mmCIF file of all heavy atoms in Angstrom:
data_model
loop_
_atom_site.group_PDB
_atom_site.id
_atom_site.type_symbol
_atom_site.label_atom_id
_atom_site.label_comp_id
_atom_site.label_asym_id
_atom_site.label_seq_id
_atom_site.Cartn_x
_atom_site.Cartn_y
_atom_site.Cartn_z
ATOM 1 N N ILE A 222 11.625 -5.216 2.374
ATOM 2 C CA ILE A 222 11.862 -4.004 1.595
ATOM 3 C C ILE A 222 10.912 -4.073 0.406
ATOM 4 O O ILE A 222 11.213 -4.685 -0.611
ATOM 5 C CB ILE A 222 13.322 -3.890 1.129
ATOM 6 C CG1 ILE A 222 14.273 -4.099 2.301
ATOM 7 C CG2 ILE A 222 13.568 -2.538 0.465
ATOM 8 C CD1 ILE A 222 14.057 -3.142 3.454
ATOM 9 N N ALA A 223 9.742 -3.466 0.549
ATOM 10 C CA ALA A 223 8.667 -3.616 -0.432
ATOM 11 C C ALA A 223 8.802 -2.615 -1.574
ATOM 12 O O ALA A 223 7.840 -1.974 -1.990
ATOM 13 C CB ALA A 223 7.316 -3.462 0.258
ATOM 14 N N CYS A 224 10.015 -2.507 -2.081
ATOM 15 C CA CYS A 224 10.341 -1.546 -3.130
ATOM 16 C C CYS A 224 11.459 -2.141 -3.963
ATOM 17 O O CYS A 224 12.509 -2.519 -3.420
ATOM 18 C CB CYS A 224 10.780 -0.214 -2.501
ATOM 19 S SG CYS A 224 11.509 0.957 -3.663
ATOM 20 N N ASN A 225 11.241 -2.255 -5.268
ATOM 21 C CA ASN A 225 12.259 -2.828 -6.142
ATOM 22 C C ASN A 225 13.540 -2.008 -6.120
ATOM 23 O O ASN A 225 14.643 -2.553 -6.027
ATOM 24 C CB ASN A 225 11.724 -2.910 -7.576
ATOM 25 C CG ASN A 225 10.691 -3.997 -7.767
ATOM 26 O OD1 ASN A 225 11.004 -5.109 -8.154
ATOM 27 N ND2 ASN A 225 9.437 -3.681 -7.493
ATOM 28 N N THR A 226 13.412 -0.696 -6.204
ATOM 29 C CA THR A 226 14.588 0.171 -6.242
ATOM 30 C C THR A 226 15.422 0.020 -4.980
ATOM 31 O O THR A 226 16.642 -0.180 -5.040
ATOM 32 C CB THR A 226 14.169 1.642 -6.412
ATOM 33 O OG1 THR A 226 13.470 1.794 -7.649
ATOM 34 C CG2 THR A 226 15.382 2.560 -6.412
ATOM 35 N N ALA A 227 14.780 0.124 -3.821
ATOM 36 C CA ALA A 227 15.500 0.015 -2.553
ATOM 37 C C ALA A 227 16.123 -1.360 -2.385
ATOM 38 O O ALA A 227 17.226 -1.491 -1.853
ATOM 39 C CB ALA A 227 14.559 0.313 -1.393
ATOM 40 N N SER A 228 15.433 -2.400 -2.842
ATOM 41 C CA SER A 228 15.963 -3.761 -2.738
ATOM 42 C C SER A 228 17.201 -3.930 -3.618
ATOM 43 O O SER A 228 18.222 -4.471 -3.181
ATOM 44 C CB SER A 228 14.898 -4.783 -3.146
ATOM 45 O OG SER A 228 13.794 -4.749 -2.276
ATOM 46 N N VAL A 229 17.100 -3.473 -4.849
ATOM 47 C CA VAL A 229 18.206 -3.607 -5.791
ATOM 48 C C VAL A 229 19.451 -2.900 -5.276
ATOM 49 O O VAL A 229 20.571 -3.406 -5.389
ATOM 50 C CB VAL A 229 17.782 -3.043 -7.172
ATOM 51 C CG1 VAL A 229 18.986 -2.816 -8.061
ATOM 52 C CG2 VAL A 229 16.799 -3.990 -7.851
ATOM 53 N N ILE A 230 19.264 -1.720 -4.674
ATOM 54 C CA ILE A 230 20.394 -0.891 -4.274
ATOM 55 C C ILE A 230 20.944 -1.253 -2.901
ATOM 56 O O ILE A 230 22.160 -1.286 -2.688
ATOM 57 C CB ILE A 230 20.002 0.604 -4.285
ATOM 58 C CG1 ILE A 230 19.579 1.043 -5.689
ATOM 59 C CG2 ILE A 230 21.150 1.472 -3.768
ATOM 60 C CD1 ILE A 230 20.643 0.912 -6.735
ATOM 61 N N SER A 231 20.060 -1.544 -1.931
ATOM 62 C CA SER A 231 20.517 -1.567 -0.533
ATOM 63 C C SER A 231 20.350 -2.888 0.201
ATOM 64 O O SER A 231 20.752 -3.002 1.354
ATOM 65 C CB SER A 231 19.779 -0.475 0.257
ATOM 66 O OG SER A 231 18.389 -0.770 0.344
ATOM 67 N N LEU A 232 19.775 -3.888 -0.438
ATOM 68 C CA LEU A 232 19.475 -5.127 0.285
ATOM 69 C C LEU A 232 20.731 -5.784 0.853
ATOM 70 O O LEU A 232 20.747 -6.229 2.017
ATOM 71 C CB LEU A 232 18.734 -6.099 -0.638
ATOM 72 C CG LEU A 232 18.139 -7.349 0.015
ATOM 73 C CD1 LEU A 232 17.165 -6.973 1.128
ATOM 74 C CD2 LEU A 232 17.428 -8.210 -1.031
ATOM 75 N N ALA A 233 21.788 -5.835 0.073
ATOM 76 C CA ALA A 233 23.018 -6.494 0.534
ATOM 77 C C ALA A 233 23.598 -5.787 1.755
ATOM 78 O O ALA A 233 24.002 -6.439 2.732
ATOM 79 C CB ALA A 233 24.044 -6.526 -0.596
ATOM 80 N N SER A 234 23.641 -4.458 1.744
ATOM 81 C CA SER A 234 24.210 -3.720 2.872
ATOM 82 C C SER A 234 23.334 -3.828 4.112
ATOM 83 O O SER A 234 23.836 -3.893 5.244
ATOM 84 C CB SER A 234 24.416 -2.252 2.496
ATOM 85 O OG SER A 234 23.190 -1.618 2.183
ATOM 86 N N LEU A 235 22.023 -3.861 3.930
ATOM 87 C CA LEU A 235 21.114 -4.004 5.073
ATOM 88 C C LEU A 235 21.301 -5.362 5.742
ATOM 89 O O LEU A 235 21.272 -5.469 6.975
ATOM 90 C CB LEU A 235 19.661 -3.836 4.618
ATOM 91 C CG LEU A 235 19.217 -2.423 4.251
ATOM 92 C CD1 LEU A 235 17.815 -2.446 3.652
ATOM 93 C CD2 LEU A 235 19.263 -1.486 5.455
ATOM 94 N N ARG A 236 21.491 -6.389 4.946
ATOM 95 C CA ARG A 236 21.666 -7.730 5.508
ATOM 96 C C ARG A 236 22.987 -7.849 6.267
ATOM 97 O O ARG A 236 23.088 -8.645 7.197
ATOM 98 C CB ARG A 236 21.584 -8.769 4.391
ATOM 99 C CG ARG A 236 20.163 -9.019 3.907
ATOM 100 C CD ARG A 236 20.111 -9.935 2.700
ATOM 101 N NE ARG A 236 18.740 -10.313 2.388
ATOM 102 C CZ ARG A 236 18.372 -10.905 1.257
ATOM 103 N NH1 ARG A 236 19.285 -11.185 0.322
ATOM 104 N NH2 ARG A 236 17.112 -11.229 1.043
ATOM 105 N N GLU A 237 23.957 -7.058 5.891
ATOM 106 C CA GLU A 237 25.214 -7.038 6.638
ATOM 107 C C GLU A 237 25.059 -6.286 7.963
ATOM 108 O O GLU A 237 25.699 -6.617 8.950
ATOM 109 C CB GLU A 237 26.307 -6.375 5.802
ATOM 110 C CG GLU A 237 26.761 -7.199 4.619
ATOM 111 C CD GLU A 237 27.873 -6.514 3.849
ATOM 112 O OE1 GLU A 237 28.273 -5.400 4.252
ATOM 113 O OE2 GLU A 237 28.337 -7.076 2.835
ATOM 114 N N GLU A 238 24.193 -5.272 7.959
ATOM 115 C CA GLU A 238 24.057 -4.403 9.132
ATOM 116 C C GLU A 238 23.137 -4.972 10.204
ATOM 117 O O GLU A 238 23.370 -4.777 11.400
ATOM 118 C CB GLU A 238 23.552 -3.029 8.683
ATOM 119 C CG GLU A 238 23.455 -2.010 9.803
ATOM 120 C CD GLU A 238 23.036 -0.631 9.311
ATOM 121 O OE1 GLU A 238 22.834 -0.468 8.076
ATOM 122 O OE2 GLU A 238 22.905 0.276 10.151
ATOM 123 N N PHE A 239 22.086 -5.689 9.793
ATOM 124 C CA PHE A 239 21.083 -6.159 10.744
ATOM 125 C C PHE A 239 21.065 -7.685 10.803
ATOM 126 O O PHE A 239 21.286 -8.358 9.797
ATOM 127 C CB PHE A 239 19.697 -5.628 10.364
ATOM 128 C CG PHE A 239 19.610 -4.124 10.382
ATOM 129 C CD1 PHE A 239 19.833 -3.391 9.226
ATOM 130 C CD2 PHE A 239 19.323 -3.451 11.561
ATOM 131 C CE1 PHE A 239 19.767 -2.005 9.232
ATOM 132 C CE2 PHE A 239 19.262 -2.071 11.587
ATOM 133 C CZ PHE A 239 19.487 -1.349 10.422
ATOM 134 N N ARG A 240 20.741 -8.214 11.962
ATOM 135 C CA ARG A 240 20.796 -9.659 12.164
ATOM 136 C C ARG A 240 19.483 -10.361 11.858
ATOM 137 O O ARG A 240 19.467 -11.574 11.658
ATOM 138 C CB ARG A 240 21.214 -9.955 13.614
ATOM 139 C CG ARG A 240 22.645 -9.534 13.922
ATOM 140 C CD ARG A 240 23.072 -9.995 15.293
ATOM 141 N NE ARG A 240 24.473 -9.653 15.567
ATOM 142 C CZ ARG A 240 25.111 -9.973 16.680
ATOM 143 N NH1 ARG A 240 24.483 -10.637 17.639
ATOM 144 N NH2 ARG A 240 26.368 -9.627 16.847
ATOM 145 N N PHE A 241 18.367 -9.649 11.862
ATOM 146 C CA PHE A 241 17.092 -10.308 11.565
ATOM 147 C C PHE A 241 16.925 -10.472 10.052
ATOM 148 O O PHE A 241 17.551 -9.743 9.264
ATOM 149 C CB PHE A 241 15.915 -9.534 12.177
ATOM 150 C CG PHE A 241 15.890 -8.061 11.847
ATOM 151 C CD1 PHE A 241 15.410 -7.603 10.630
ATOM 152 C CD2 PHE A 241 16.333 -7.128 12.774
ATOM 153 C CE1 PHE A 241 15.371 -6.259 10.328
ATOM 154 C CE2 PHE A 241 16.312 -5.774 12.488
ATOM 155 C CZ PHE A 241 15.827 -5.337 11.253
ATOM 156 N N PRO A 242 16.088 -11.416 9.611
ATOM 157 C CA PRO A 242 15.915 -11.652 8.172
ATOM 158 C C PRO A 242 15.330 -10.435 7.462
ATOM 159 O O PRO A 242 14.407 -9.780 7.961
ATOM 160 C CB PRO A 242 14.931 -12.831 8.123
ATOM 161 C CG PRO A 242 15.038 -13.487 9.464
ATOM 162 C CD PRO A 242 15.330 -12.381 10.431
ATOM 163 N N ILE A 243 15.861 -10.129 6.294
ATOM 164 C CA ILE A 243 15.362 -9.035 5.461
ATOM 165 C C ILE A 243 15.093 -9.588 4.072
ATOM 166 O O ILE A 243 15.989 -10.144 3.435
ATOM 167 C CB ILE A 243 16.358 -7.868 5.406
ATOM 168 C CG1 ILE A 243 16.626 -7.319 6.813
ATOM 169 C CG2 ILE A 243 15.824 -6.751 4.504
ATOM 170 C CD1 ILE A 243 17.650 -6.207 6.857
ATOM 171 N N ILE A 244 13.858 -9.435 3.617
ATOM 172 C CA ILE A 244 13.432 -9.956 2.316
ATOM 173 C C ILE A 244 13.217 -8.789 1.374
ATOM 174 O O ILE A 244 12.583 -7.785 1.742
ATOM 175 C CB ILE A 244 12.130 -10.777 2.450
ATOM 176 C CG1 ILE A 244 12.337 -11.969 3.401
ATOM 177 C CG2 ILE A 244 11.668 -11.277 1.081
ATOM 178 C CD1 ILE A 244 11.915 -11.722 4.823
ATOM 179 N N GLY A 245 13.713 -8.891 0.166
ATOM 180 C CA GLY A 245 13.574 -7.825 -0.807
ATOM 181 C C GLY A 245 12.599 -8.174 -1.918
ATOM 182 O O GLY A 245 12.104 -9.302 -2.021
ATOM 183 N N VAL A 246 12.318 -7.177 -2.740
ATOM 184 C CA VAL A 246 11.446 -7.334 -3.906
ATOM 185 C C VAL A 246 12.257 -6.965 -5.139
ATOM 186 O O VAL A 246 12.781 -5.856 -5.222
ATOM 187 C CB VAL A 246 10.213 -6.411 -3.810
ATOM 188 C CG1 VAL A 246 9.356 -6.528 -5.067
ATOM 189 C CG2 VAL A 246 9.394 -6.737 -2.578
ATOM 190 N N VAL A 247 12.372 -7.878 -6.077
ATOM 191 C CA VAL A 247 13.095 -7.589 -7.317
ATOM 192 C C VAL A 247 12.197 -7.945 -8.503
ATOM 193 O O VAL A 247 11.282 -8.763 -8.384
ATOM 194 C CB VAL A 247 14.423 -8.366 -7.398
ATOM 195 C CG1 VAL A 247 15.370 -7.920 -6.288
ATOM 196 C CG2 VAL A 247 14.205 -9.862 -7.353
ATOM 197 N N PRO A 248 12.432 -7.324 -9.667
ATOM 198 C CA PRO A 248 11.580 -7.573 -10.835
ATOM 199 C C PRO A 248 11.498 -9.059 -11.195
ATOM 200 O O PRO A 248 12.499 -9.770 -11.149
ATOM 201 C CB PRO A 248 12.268 -6.774 -11.947
ATOM 202 C CG PRO A 248 13.004 -5.692 -11.228
ATOM 203 C CD PRO A 248 13.466 -6.310 -9.939
ATOM 204 N N ALA A 249 10.311 -9.492 -11.554
ATOM 205 C CA ALA A 249 10.057 -10.909 -11.838
ATOM 206 C C ALA A 249 10.515 -11.277 -13.245
ATOM 207 O O ALA A 249 9.750 -11.796 -14.070
ATOM 208 C CB ALA A 249 8.567 -11.206 -11.663
ATOM 209 N N VAL A 250 11.781 -11.039 -13.511
ATOM 210 C CA VAL A 250 12.347 -11.310 -14.838
ATOM 211 C C VAL A 250 12.433 -12.809 -15.111
ATOM 212 O O VAL A 250 12.136 -13.267 -16.226
ATOM 213 C CB VAL A 250 13.733 -10.648 -14.963
ATOM 214 C CG1 VAL A 250 14.443 -11.111 -16.242
ATOM 215 C CG2 VAL A 250 13.607 -9.134 -14.938
ATOM 216 N N LYS A 251 12.830 -13.574 -14.113
ATOM 217 C CA LYS A 251 13.009 -15.017 -14.301
ATOM 218 C C LYS A 251 11.718 -15.714 -14.720
ATOM 219 O O LYS A 251 11.701 -16.420 -15.740
ATOM 220 C CB LYS A 251 13.579 -15.639 -13.031
ATOM 221 C CG LYS A 251 13.850 -17.131 -13.147
ATOM 222 C CD LYS A 251 14.465 -17.678 -11.870
ATOM 223 C CE LYS A 251 14.754 -19.161 -11.972
ATOM 224 N NZ LYS A 251 15.375 -19.692 -10.719
ATOM 225 N N PRO A 252 10.601 -15.554 -13.980
ATOM 226 C CA PRO A 252 9.371 -16.211 -14.435
ATOM 227 C C PRO A 252 8.847 -15.637 -15.745
ATOM 228 O O PRO A 252 8.230 -16.353 -16.540
ATOM 229 C CB PRO A 252 8.388 -15.963 -13.283
ATOM 230 C CG PRO A 252 8.955 -14.830 -12.505
ATOM 231 C CD PRO A 252 10.436 -14.920 -12.665
ATOM 232 N N ALA A 253 9.102 -14.351 -15.995
ATOM 233 C CA ALA A 253 8.658 -13.750 -17.257
ATOM 234 C C ALA A 253 9.353 -14.399 -18.442
ATOM 235 O O ALA A 253 8.726 -14.686 -19.466
ATOM 236 C CB ALA A 253 8.920 -12.247 -17.236
ATOM 237 N N ALA A 254 10.658 -14.643 -18.301
ATOM 238 C CA ALA A 254 11.415 -15.283 -19.379
ATOM 239 C C ALA A 254 10.912 -16.697 -19.637
ATOM 240 O O ALA A 254 10.857 -17.156 -20.790
ATOM 241 C CB ALA A 254 12.901 -15.305 -19.021
#
């Protein structure tokens, strides 16, 4: 899911619905801090 918005909102539900691995993109807050 090459979109921060879509990852933040829907990643958890997609992983429940589909059996193959799904990787999301979220803001790089941790390394920035």
